[in-house]
């Protein structure tokens, strides 16, 4: 059992997006008598040139009392309405499909019947791109201004759940400002050692000759994974058998169009893909690739040939995509990059961090800080399930038709996780259902991606059978079948 009812000090080790957002959350839920302190070192930089939120980002800001307009003004954040995938099927210039953040109030998602969505089944059956029904899609296609996007969102006619693109440095600075104003303590120092007690709980942080007492410790130390990885020797759950990418070269570039795009671009390359995250002033970009198929020099050469201008790369990031099997051990919890990391496809890092933090708050509040080993065990089980859902969702992106380079041929030969393979088999006879993906969210957790998100990507890649989706329609009475097919016809 973990008893925090008499806690005096909560420490977050590491700043960045995860550390400072955790500080804001924990300061809000603990009494003023409990000190919440962030210890970070200005000698350690923040990874990334650009980040993006998912569907849970705006609600997390609002839940923590952060004004969204102030957030935009302070961080220079730009609207993010989803993703554009380019070259993932044929590699040709016209090879493009969208995964937009569809609102549950949108016209296609309002009607469900026995677990499926007839309008989506009809569009999949008639091979209508799913973004067609979203009214805000026209602004995406027309490279609308930020002002036009804001106006459409405020009018309630976009059919979009809003999120944002943002600079990782500026957002961390902004969250730090909020946290300090709300009473979070800050210390700029390097922690030399985490001292454990006889139970294996974190008792002190050693900084030089000083011992800092700690009752609960959040490991937000990024890829160094100072506590759960290096001190507690947590077991790593690797995705390398299913996801081949293990390197990334970040860089900055100018906007390719007049206005910042309303979507993150994911452009398939010879040995991976390039992200382009449009901020207000510039684009944060990077090449994610497999080092078994391409060297850094070759990756840079390919980038410059594709873009038509020199690239000034930042430090190349090497990683083993995966997560810790247990992120909450005793009185320590790993958050953000400390808990797990996978390539930035679909921007899962911030989304997963916010969901983990939401559930930490749920457990602490409902238990009144007296947390059973059972609750911690169930938290870890749910976190791992959520990461497995991320793994399967990303693996679906690579379940594609490209075969023109060795990387893409090797991707095609890479096994599918059983959990994804089994639901994909069903999609040859029917459209996806919430039933297929709800097990990725257990023990009070929410899914990072709804079944509609799976349909946007799976449909765009051709992993959902048009004929199989037609079987759904055949199960409907004639008048309802006609209604669904008429809808799809109108969307063409």
């Amino acid at each position: 059992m973990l008893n925090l009812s008499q806690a005096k000090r909560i420490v977050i080790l590491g700043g960045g997006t995860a550390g400072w957002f955790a500080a804001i959350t924990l300061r809000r839920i603990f009494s003023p008598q409990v000190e919440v302190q962030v210890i970070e070192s200005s000698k350690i930089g923040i990874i990334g040139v650009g980040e993006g939120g998912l569907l849970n980002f705006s609600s997390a800001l609002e839940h923590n009392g952060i004004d969204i307009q102030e957030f935009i003004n302070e961080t220079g954040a730009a609207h993010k309405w989803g993703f554009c995938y380019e070259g993932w099927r044929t590699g040709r210039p016209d090879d493009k499909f969208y995964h937009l953040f569809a609102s549950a109030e949108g016209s296609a998602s309002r009607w469900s019947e026995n677990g499926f969505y007839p309008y989506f089944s009809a569009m999949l059956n008639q091979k209508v791109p799913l973004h067609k029904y979203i009214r805000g899609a026209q602004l995406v296609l027309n490279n609308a201004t930020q002002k036009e996007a804001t106006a459409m969102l405020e009018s309630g006619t976009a059919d979009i759940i809003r999120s944002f693109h943002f600079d990782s440095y500026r957002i961390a600075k902004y969250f730090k400002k909020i946290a300090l104003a709300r009473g979070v303590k800050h210390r700029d120092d390097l922690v030399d050692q985490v001292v454990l007690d006889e139970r294996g709980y974190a008792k002190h942080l050693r900084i030089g000759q000083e011992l800092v007492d700690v009752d609960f410790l959040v490991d937000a130390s990024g890829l160094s994974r100072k506590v759960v990885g290096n001190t507690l020797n947590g077991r790593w759950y690797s995705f390398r058998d299913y996801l081949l990418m293990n390197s990334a070269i970040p860089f900055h570039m100018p906007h390719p169009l007049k206005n910042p795009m309303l979507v993150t671009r994911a452009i398939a390359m010879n040995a991976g893909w390039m992200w382009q995250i449009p901020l207000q002033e510039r684009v944060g970009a990077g090449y994610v690739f497999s080092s078994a198929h391409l060297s850094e020099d070759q990756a840079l050469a390919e980038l410059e040939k594709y873009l038509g201008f020199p690239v000034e790369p930042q430090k190349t990031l090497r990683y083993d995509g995966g997560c810790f099997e247990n992120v909450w051990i005793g009185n320590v919890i790993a958050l953000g990059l400390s808990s797990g990391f996978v390539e930035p496809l679909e921007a899962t890092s911030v989304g997963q961090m916010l969901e983990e933090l939401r559930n930490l708050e749920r457990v602490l509040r409902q238990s009144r800080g007296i947390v059973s080993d059972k609750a911690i065990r169930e938290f870890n089980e749910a976190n791992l399930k959520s990461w497995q859902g991320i793994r399967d969702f990303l693996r679906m992106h690579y379940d594609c038709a490209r075969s023109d380079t060795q990387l893409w041929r090797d991707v095609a030969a890479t096994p599918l996780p059983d959990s994804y393979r089994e639901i994909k088999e069903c999609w040859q006879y029917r459209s996806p259902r919430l039933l297929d993906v709800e097990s990725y969210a257990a023990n009070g957790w929410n899914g990072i991606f709804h079944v509609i998100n799976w349909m946007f990507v799976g449909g765009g890649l051709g992993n959902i059978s048009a004929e199989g989706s037609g079987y759904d329609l055949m199960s409907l009475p004639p008048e309802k079948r006609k209604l669904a097919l008429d809808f799809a016809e109108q969307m063409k």
Side-chain angles (χ1 to χ4, degrees):
M1 180 183 78
L2 172 64
N3 188 345
L4 296 176
S5 61
Q6 302 299 316
K8 294 181 174 61
R9 179 179 291 125
I10 311 296
V11 174
I12 299 99
L13 180 56
T17 305
W20 286 109
F21 206 89
I24 291 169
T25 300
L26 294 171
R27 179 65 287 162
R28 177 171 51 77
I29 67 177
F30 278 95
S31 72
Q33 289 72 38
V34 179
E35 179 183 294
V36 176
Q37 181 181 87
V38 173
I39 302 178
E40 64 171 349
S41 173
S42 55
K43 298 176 182 177
I44 301 174
I46 297 174
I47 294 174
V49 292
E51 291 184 284
L54 290 178
L55 287 76
N56 59 358
F57 188 79
S58 292
S59 60
L61 293 180
E62 292 169 353
H63 183 61
N64 281 279
I66 297 173
D67 182 78
I68 288 182
Q69 190 56 54
E70 179 185 276
F71 167 78
I72 295 171
N73 295 340
E74 292 269 348
T75 66
H79 287 295
K80 177 181 178 180
W81 288 8
F83 303 87
C84 177
Y85 287 92
E86 304 177 34
W88 288 71
R89 298 170 297 193
T90 66
R92 295 196 298 264
D94 62 346
D95 176 15
K96 184 182 298 186
F97 72 92
Y98 292 90
H99 167 206
L100 299 185
F101 293 159
S103 167
E105 285 73 45
S107 56
S109 52
R110 289 176 187 163
W111 177 22
S112 64
E113 189 101 14
N114 295 324
F116 75 96
Y117 296 87
Y119 287 148
F120 280 105
S121 294
M123 285 189 288
L124 291 166
N125 174 252
Q126 297 297 304
K127 299 183 179 181
V128 178
L130 296 190
H131 73 268
K132 290 273 192 170
Y133 84 92
I134 294 181
R135 288 172 289 181
Q138 203 57 48
L139 270 66
V140 174
L141 299 176
N142 292 340
N143 188 223
T145 65
Q146 295 289 295
K147 185 176 181 180
E148 290 170 324
T150 299
M152 191 169 198
L153 285 171
E154 291 177 349
S155 73
T157 61
D159 299 329
I160 287 288
I161 298 174
R162 69 174 169 184
S163 192
F164 297 98
H165 296 115
F166 41 79
D167 181 287
S168 52
Y169 300 96
R170 292 183 69 178
I171 193 175
K173 182 179 178 181
Y174 173 66
F175 287 155
K176 178 179 178 179
K177 173 184 173 182
I178 295 290
L180 295 178
R182 295 182 182 182
V184 172
K185 306 299 182 184
H186 177 236
R187 179 168 179 170
D188 187 343
D189 244 322
L190 281 170
V191 171
D192 300 307
Q193 182 187 8
V194 179
V195 181
L196 307 179
D197 66 13
E198 64 280 356
R199 296 182 301 166
Y201 281 38
K203 186 176 183 180
H204 308 293
L205 301 179
R206 186 184 298 279
I207 302 175
Q209 299 302 310
E210 180 186 358
L211 290 178
V212 178
D213 295 340
V214 59
D215 296 297
F216 189 69
L217 179 61
V218 177
D219 181 1
S221 59
L223 294 179
S224 65
R225 294 166 186 149
K226 191 172 183 67
V227 191
V228 170
N230 295 336
T231 302
L232 299 176
N233 298 314
R235 180 188 240 173
W236 187 252
Y237 185 91
S238 178
F239 300 161
R240 70 166 68 96
D241 289 343
Y242 307 108
L243 299 170
L244 299 184
M245 309 306 156
N246 62 5
S247 305
I249 302 177
F251 62 96
H252 297 138
M253 59 175 281
H255 286 288
L257 299 176
K258 179 181 178 181
N259 300 312
M261 297 179 71
L262 298 177
V263 291
T264 298
R265 297 177 76 189
I267 304 167
M269 305 287 282
N270 288 342
W273 61 279
M274 173 172 40
W275 81 79
Q276 291 187 6
I277 297 176
L279 309 175
Q280 289 194 23
E281 301 88 1
R282 55 171 171 75
V283 173
Y287 189 173
V288 178
F289 64 97
S290 163
S291 62
H293 297 81
L294 206 68
S295 69
E296 290 182 41
D297 289 343
Q298 289 171 325
L300 281 171
E302 185 187 352
L303 277 173
E304 292 181 346
K305 180 179 179 181
Y306 181 90
L307 295 170
F309 53 79
V311 168
E312 295 184 14
Q314 297 190 10
K315 183 180 179 181
T316 298
L317 174 66
R318 303 287 188 183
Y319 63 91
D320 175 17
C323 63
F324 283 110
E325 290 188 4
N326 294 314
V327 294
W328 189 343
I329 303 173
N331 66 337
V332 176
I333 188 167
L335 185 72
L337 300 182
S338 294
S339 69
F341 180 77
V342 71
E343 61 187 273
L345 192 64
E346 291 284 350
T348 57
S349 182
V350 172
Q352 176 69 359
M353 179 272 290
L354 293 175
E355 181 58 15
E356 185 184 344
L357 196 54
R358 185 188 71 82
N359 280 282
L360 174 63
E361 176 179 352
R362 178 181 61 84
V363 171
L364 292 177
R365 282 193 180 280
Q366 293 185 12
S367 68
R368 202 168 44 82
I370 304 169
V371 187
S372 68
D373 293 340
K374 177 178 179 290
I376 294 174
R377 184 169 61 253
E378 290 175 348
F379 183 98
N380 285 323
E381 290 169 354
N383 180 72
L384 181 59
K385 277 282 189 184
S386 185
W387 271 109
Q388 288 170 338
I390 289 171
R391 176 202 64 191
D392 290 1
F393 190 61
L394 299 192
R395 182 62 186 88
M396 178 174 64
H397 291 64
Y398 291 102
D399 189 8
C400 58
R402 278 202 70 162
S403 61
D404 55 316
T405 69
Q406 189 60 51
L407 177 280
W408 292 105
R409 288 189 289 272
D410 288 347
V411 161
T414 302
L416 303 177
D418 288 344
S419 44
Y420 167 59
R421 177 184 53 77
E422 289 165 0
I423 57 175
K424 183 192 173 185
E425 287 175 357
C426 295
W427 297 347
Q428 309 318 301
Y429 302 94
R430 59 164 173 77
S431 63
R433 279 107 160 103
L434 182 60
L435 175 71
D436 297 329
V437 300
E438 63 185 357
S439 65
Y440 295 126
N443 302 334
W445 287 55
N446 293 329
I448 296 296
F449 299 106
H450 190 275
V451 66
I452 293 172
N453 306 108
W454 288 77
M455 284 194 284
F456 263 88
V457 178
L461 290 170
N463 294 331
I464 303 168
S465 164
E467 182 181 9
S469 295
Y471 295 148
D472 282 339
L473 302 177
M474 295 304 295
S475 71
L476 296 171
E479 63 277 10
K480 288 186 175 181
R481 187 184 317 135
K482 182 178 186 302
L483 185 65
L485 289 170
D486 286 348
F487 179 88
E489 185 65 29
Q490 293 168 13
M491 296 301 113
K492 288 183 178 179

